[in-house]
Amino acid sequence: MTSNAARAVSPPSANPSDTTERERLTAFHLRVTATTFGANFSDGYALGIIGAVLPVLGTTMHLSGLWQGLLGASALIGLFFGSILLGRVADAIGRQKLYLYNFALIAVASAAQFWAHTPLILFLLRLVIGFGLGADYAVGPTLLSEFAPQRLRGVLLGSLTVLWTVGYVLANILGTYIPITDNAAHWLLASGALPALLVLVLRIGIPESPSWLATRGRAAEAAEIRRTHLGQTTATAEEAEAAAAEQPPTAGYRELFAHGQATKTWFGVIFYSAQVLPYFAIYTFMAQILSTLHVSDANTQNLVLNLALLLGGIIGLWPVQRMGRRPFTIWTFAILAVCLGAMALLNSASGWALMVPFIVYTFVMAGASNITQVYPPELFPTSLRGSGVGFLNGTSRVASAIGTFVLPVSLDQIGVGWSMGWMAAVLLLGTLVSLAWAPETRNTLTAEDWHH
């Protein structure tokens, strides 16, 4: 990225009424937010439901440990390729097309899981689902960040993870309290098509990002979208697009590692990966972990943990908005590392004693995860945002897939104590990298952001 694109600038002079107008929350903002919420709900549900049905499928499909690991990681592998490949496409051709058509792909592949009675077919379908969701991880937060008022960007983007958690928790509760047979397992897998279809319908008619249009020299179209959908005056819309048009129209992946941008990119990769690796590993194999902890009433504890996950996500929205990105990230990493470290040291204690740090970890991790939707779009300018967000999501999914594949082997070979220990070390790495590199982006307005 060029230094001009990376450098934060002050906005052109504007009167207070213009600023108020740019900060107004409209019905259109709520619609874009709702459809992006729906995408994150679908993702959480898709990733949660496979963990819920794997114990049954392991028996009915005669799955080896290898196949269980592959099916658990399948959507995450697809997420990697979708994020990496289609994030760059979003910067090249625009956000809107991918924002619409990826959910047609997700809906079809989700429904087809009903007829997937071999591990290979199910694995391939979940790769496709993950590929479509990966596109949305690159495009959804990018488009929302480019439409959202700057003062509300943190809470709106952070809320995406809350909806992911709602989908994930719902999948876990269904898997816990519905008697799961082979037929019921396939119905649950296919039920992911319902929220995907709803998201697809609601996205019809959402326009292209005006910031992206302006970087392509289409300022008149961008200004018209601002007038029609955001309720801005002609003067305000044209002023905003003139600023956005100063950004370079295209940028390659190499610009993610150019002078002035490379540290932010590497921070994003390590921070995101360190957070989600233990998250996905632990919650995909929650039943096995609870069994290893010798908890007498695993269903009740599973419900308690899922409620802690949901409450943590909701309550965690406040500090994301109020504390700033840097301190929030550092403190949550540190608390999470301490919790898993405590589980490692207390591995020979009773199940209930181990549940205390586990519940605290779950609560804090849910809140900490909100930042993964806020930080990435703020680390990159318009010309790199789709590529950058896609790259961070893709690399984090590699970490997620590795953790999901390795944890069941780790639990079997070295036990719960050492397994919690190496995951605590991953979180400690995230703490140290955040201390060294985490930027504060809450109030930083780049050339293409100030007009929101």
Side-chain angles (χ1 to χ4, degrees):
M1 184 182 67
T2 63
S3 59
N4 287 338
R7 185 169 60 246
V9 299
S10 298
S13 59
N15 62 50
S17 62
D18 288 340
T19 302
T20 301
E21 179 183 304
R22 295 181 191 119
E23 293 292 282
R24 183 186 305 145
L25 184 67
T26 68
F28 176 75
H29 286 131
L30 297 177
R31 180 184 173 192
V32 174
T33 302
T35 61
T36 312
F37 277 1
N40 280 258
F41 174 91
S42 294
D43 180 27
Y45 188 85
L47 294 177
I49 206 67
I50 189 66
V53 302
L54 262 180
V56 171
L57 295 182
T59 300
T60 60
M61 288 188 177
H62 309 291
L63 299 177
S64 65
L66 175 63
W67 269 117
Q68 289 191 54
L70 285 173
L71 288 175
S74 55
L76 297 172
I77 297 169
L79 275 161
F80 164 74
F81 288 105
S83 296
I84 292 289
L85 296 176
L86 297 182
R88 181 70 190 95
V89 172
D91 282 337
I93 70 170
R95 324 316 192 188
Q96 189 269 341
K97 294 182 180 66
L98 290 177
Y99 192 67
L100 179 64
Y101 294 127
N102 68 323
F103 259 82
L105 181 68
I106 293 166
V108 171
S110 296
Q113 290 178 105
F114 182 76
W115 296 279
H117 293 284
T118 67
L120 177 60
I121 297 300
L122 183 58
F123 176 77
L124 292 175
L125 286 173
R126 293 191 63 78
L127 277 181
V128 172
I129 293 168
F131 187 80
L133 290 169
D136 213 78
Y137 266 84
V139 177
T142 296
L143 192 63
L144 180 57
S145 71
E146 292 172 353
F147 274 124
Q150 190 272 338
R151 67 183 174 85
L152 296 175
R153 189 173 58 203
V155 70
L156 292 179
L157 289 170
S159 298
L160 298 179
T161 303
V162 176
L163 268 292
W164 186 97
T165 305
V166 171
Y168 190 87
V169 168
L170 176 60
N172 276 330
I173 290 175
L174 291 175
T176 300
Y177 292 101
I178 289 179
I180 299 183
T181 61
D182 181 63
N183 191 53
H186 284 83
W187 273 111
L188 285 171
L189 289 169
S191 64
L194 297 176
L197 283 171
L198 178 60
V199 169
L200 177 63
V201 170
L202 290 175
R203 286 187 174 185
I204 295 173
I206 289 179
E208 184 56 83
S209 160
S211 296
W212 181 86
L213 288 170
T215 66
R216 310 296 292 187
R218 297 160 64 179
E221 293 176 58
E224 178 61 27
I225 289 171
R226 290 190 173 280
R227 288 192 298 269
T228 303
H229 294 279
L230 304 182
Q232 295 181 0
T233 65
T234 299
T236 301
E238 290 177 351
E239 181 186 350
E241 299 322 317
E246 295 176 3
Q247 298 299 303
T250 59
Y253 269 123
R254 69 181 183 277
E255 300 298 327
L256 295 174
F257 303 96
H259 178 70
Q261 180 64 45
T263 299
K264 290 181 180 179
T265 300
W266 283 119
F267 160 71
V269 168
I270 297 172
F271 129 78
Y272 206 161
S273 298
Q275 190 180 99
V276 300
L277 187 153
Y279 189 126
F280 282 104
I282 287 172
Y283 295 111
T284 298
F285 295 99
M286 176 82 78
Q288 290 90 323
I289 292 173
L290 291 176
S291 175
T292 304
L293 296 179
H294 304 295
V295 175
S296 58
D297 189 353
N299 283 350
T300 299
Q301 292 303 319
N302 192 19
L303 180 60
V304 170
L305 289 167
N306 278 292
L307 290 176
L309 200 63
L310 185 58
L311 287 174
I314 295 171
I315 295 172
L317 288 173
W318 183 85
V320 167
Q321 184 72 4
R322 304 297 298 179
M323 281 182 67
R325 318 307 190 220
R326 177 181 165 84
F328 179 82
T329 301
I330 292 169
W331 278 106
T332 52
F333 260 133
I335 294 170
L336 294 170
V338 168
C339 288
L340 290 193
M343 291 186 69
L345 294 173
L346 298 171
N347 71 91
S348 60
S350 68
W352 282 102
L354 284 168
M355 286 303 299
V356 173
F358 201 3
I359 291 170
V360 174
Y361 169 85
T362 300
F363 180 83
V364 176
M365 173 54 82
S369 296
N370 293 338
I371 200 73
T372 62
Q373 296 292 332
V374 180
Y375 236 150
E378 295 179 345
L379 294 173
F380 306 98
T382 298
S383 59
L384 275 175
R385 189 168 290 128
S387 299
V389 173
F391 184 75
L392 298 194
N393 277 288
T395 52
S396 74
R397 266 42 191 183
V398 172
S400 301
I402 290 171
T404 303
F405 185 74
V406 169
L407 182 60
V409 178
S410 175
L411 289 170
D412 182 57
Q413 298 296 318
I414 62 177
V416 68
W418 285 105
S419 296
M420 295 300 116
W422 68 257
M423 287 189 289
V426 171
L427 293 166
L428 179 60
L429 173 64
T431 307
L432 297 175
V433 169
S434 298
L435 280 166
W437 288 346
E440 182 50 69
T441 58
R442 182 179 60 167
N443 296 317
T444 300
L445 304 182
T446 57
E448 77 281 1
D449 286 332
W450 68 264
H451 56 77
H452 290 309

